[in-house]
Amino acid sequence: MNANTPRPHPADTDRSTSELLSGTARDLPSGRHEFHKERLMAQIHDMQRAERTATPAPARKRRLRLPRPAVTLPLMAVAVAAAVVAGVWQSGSGGVRESGVATGPALTTKIGTATTKGVPQLMDRISLAAADTSHPDVKPGQFIYIESKSADSFVKTVGDESSLASHALHTRQVWKSADGTEGWLIDPAVNDSPEGETLSLPDEQGNTPEATLNGPSFDYLAKLTTDPDELLAKIYKETEGMGNTPDQQAFTTIGDLLIESYPPADLYPALFKAASKIPGVVVVDDAVDAAGRHGIAVARLDETSGEREEWIFDRKTHVFLGERSVQVRKGTGEDALITPGTVLFTNAIMKRAVVDGMKQTPSQAG
């Protein structure tokens, strides 16, 4: 795919989507389309980043920022999920995503002031706080439980007209085994059932992808080096060719690990120390996570997209609260709809724990 590939007309998208679904949807067991969509979204997220590594197009590519496990899908599943995703952003019923999450006006915020002053000192305090954070090992049969709140803004297309809208704040719960082969997801943005559905492997086609930096398991993270220089070098190497620039991709990769993984105790501070070595990192004086908690942020501006990724920390304890992506530069063409101050994605970590069973919450564990 090329970054200069023209956007399909909504009518063409709907037609091709319908044809693709009619030919492949019947091949999947009932109730599995959302499962494949959930898994494919992460791949599309990475493909969109990869597209931007070619000759940059004037128009900015919309980036999906909902945290998702990145895994490999069989070709047939990719075709079905791609059709579903095409209908997610441009649908014949008004362009609203087909999910249980309500839509509303675009999310906006006051753009915080950014400075390079004090970055090393803040990162040192964050690393020390991370080193003091209790991160128990995950034993066989146990699961990492992460509960978060998230919302996002998106371009909604109805016929030939586009406007900016948002998906309302909602709760996401995910369980993952230490080796990443067992999991469960409850998220109204990606599955219709309030009970959620499995993320366990292998899938119907027998695929069990290996863990990577963009789709890690606890066991995978436990084997990573904790030397900040070596860790950063590995991140640059394994994400080569992704994102708009190597530096931005390295920053994004570390940010993704903070949201929906449980880095082992030794690795957690090493991630922050590695991030402090990425050029262009700044401090934002005030940022708000999805739960409304104010904090100080470590951030980096993507010069190509004009989007600033912000990691938000408690101002006193320096504990990680969540992440958000804010548009700070006005785009051109259709992307001009995404004006400065638009919150493209916001997330807040509410609970992160180790539990003894799938779908068990910390309160149930006593």
Side-chain angles (χ1 to χ4, degrees), residues 199 215 310:
L199 296 176
E310 302 176 349

Side-chain angles (χ1 to χ4, degrees), residues 199-280:
L199 296 176
S200 296
L201 298 171
D203 60 19
E204 289 93 345
Q205 307 303 310
N207 296 296
T208 303
E210 294 184 5
T212 66
L213 281 170
N214 287 317
S217 64
F218 180 86
D219 290 347
Y220 173 86
L221 295 177
K223 295 177 182 177
L224 291 179
T225 177
T226 56
D227 179 277
D229 292 308
E230 294 178 3
L231 179 60
L232 187 59
K234 179 179 178 61
I235 291 171
Y236 275 112
K237 181 178 180 180
E238 291 202 7
T239 61
E240 184 177 0
M242 299 181 186
N244 285 327
T245 67
D247 292 336
Q248 187 62 37
Q249 181 59 36
F251 189 82
T252 296
T253 297
I254 294 175
D256 288 346
L257 294 177
L258 300 178
I259 295 180
E260 202 158 274
S261 71
Y262 204 164
D266 292 341
L267 181 65
Y268 199 43
L271 288 170
F272 296 117
K273 292 178 181 178
S276 69
K277 299 174 181 293
I278 300 174

